[in-house]
Amino acid sequence: MRKLWFRRRGVSTMIGGIIVLMLLLTALAAMILVSQQYDAYQTTANAMQQRDNERFAENLKAVSPAISEGNPFSVTCAGGGNCNTYTMTIANLNIGLQIARIYINSLATVGCTNLCVLDPGPAAAPNAFLASDRYVNPGELHNVTFWLPGNIILPREEGGRKYGLNTIWIATMRGRVFSFQWPLPPPGPAGG
């Protein structure tokens, strides 16, 4: 009888040891899984932070004179009709960026009375800008050529008012939007 008791105690010790070993292995597997998930989360969070840093590092500025009419001013658009050509000069003060879209709003009746939305295009087309002008290198003075329909002219002056008739927004691929008015107001402190 005594021999049977010792055998049973050996089996129960082995079963207990296997259970403890399984618990330890389960805890180790759970720790590895949690650390891998945390590492994946940190990698994603760091990538998002880097994109945010790049987005806020974008910095465009209008250069005076910001917009000039093309030569010749009116050209034939793709698909027929006339388009007015403009060239906008901007300075990129930071990292390289890509222009996604340009928006123009004008206070004058001959301008964009509703919001003009300009998308990139390969050639002269109404409400488009030259697709090859999209990418702006860091530290570069950059010209962007765009076309408006022949019946829309961005005014330089209206009723004695010379500044701020046209508002132009430039949206970048990273989601940043830059705005300026044209004609540019004179430098110096703001008036009353």
Side-chain angles (χ1 to χ4, degrees), residues 2 23 35 37 42 57 73 77 88 117 131 140 174 182 185 190:
R2 219 171 179 173
L23 287 173
S35 67
Q37 293 297 319
Q42 283 298 333
F73 180 62
C77 289
M88 174 174 49
V117 179
E140 172 184 33
R174 291 186 185 105
W182 182 75

Side-chain angles (χ1 to χ4, degrees), residues 2-192:
R2 219 171 179 173
K3 287 183 180 180
L4 209 60
W5 173 251
F6 282 122
R7 265 195 244 155
R8 285 185 187 163
R9 216 168 64 177
V11 171
S12 64
T13 302
M14 283 183 6
I15 292 173
I18 290 172
I19 290 172
V20 168
L21 183 63
M22 285 176 34
L23 287 173
L24 287 174
L25 288 177
T26 304
L28 181 64
M31 286 186 343
I32 290 173
L33 180 67
V34 167
S35 67
Q36 285 178 344
Q37 293 297 319
Y38 182 73
D39 190 38
Y41 167 77
Q42 283 298 333
T43 302
T44 304
N46 288 339
M48 290 175 63
Q49 181 66 37
Q50 180 65 28
R51 285 191 197 116
D52 279 347
N53 290 343
E54 287 176 356
R55 183 176 69 206
F56 289 115
E58 293 178 337
N59 194 2
L60 283 180
K61 179 182 170 190
V63 178
S64 184
I67 296 178
S68 58
E69 287 88 4
N71 189 11
F73 180 62
S74 184
V75 295
T76 303
C77 289
N82 285 336
C83 285
N84 293 328
T85 305
Y86 293 92
T87 302
M88 174 174 49
T89 304
I90 53 178
N92 186 2
L93 304 176
N94 243 340
I95 65 172
L97 58 90
Q98 193 170 3
I99 298 172
R101 193 172 259 179
I102 299 172
Y103 302 95
I104 300 174
N105 192 15
S106 180
L107 296 176
T109 55
V110 292
C112 298
T113 52
N114 294 325
L115 192 64
C116 288
V117 179
L118 283 68
D119 290 317
N127 294 327
F129 67 94
L130 193 58
S132 61
D133 291 343
R134 289 179 80 172
Y135 189 77
V136 187
N137 292 314
E140 172 184 33
L141 282 178
H142 188 74
N143 292 327
V144 178
T145 302
F146 63 91
W147 301 277
L148 294 174
N151 62 341
I152 296 177
I153 298 172
L154 294 180
R156 291 180 172 267
E157 183 175 341
E158 183 179 88
R161 183 176 178 184
K162 295 182 180 182
Y163 307 111
L165 293 174
N166 309 292
T167 305
I168 298 161
W169 295 276
I170 299 172
T172 66
M173 293 298 278
R174 291 186 185 105
R176 189 97 190 261
V177 178
F178 299 93
S179 68
F180 63 92
Q181 294 181 339
W182 182 75
L184 292 172

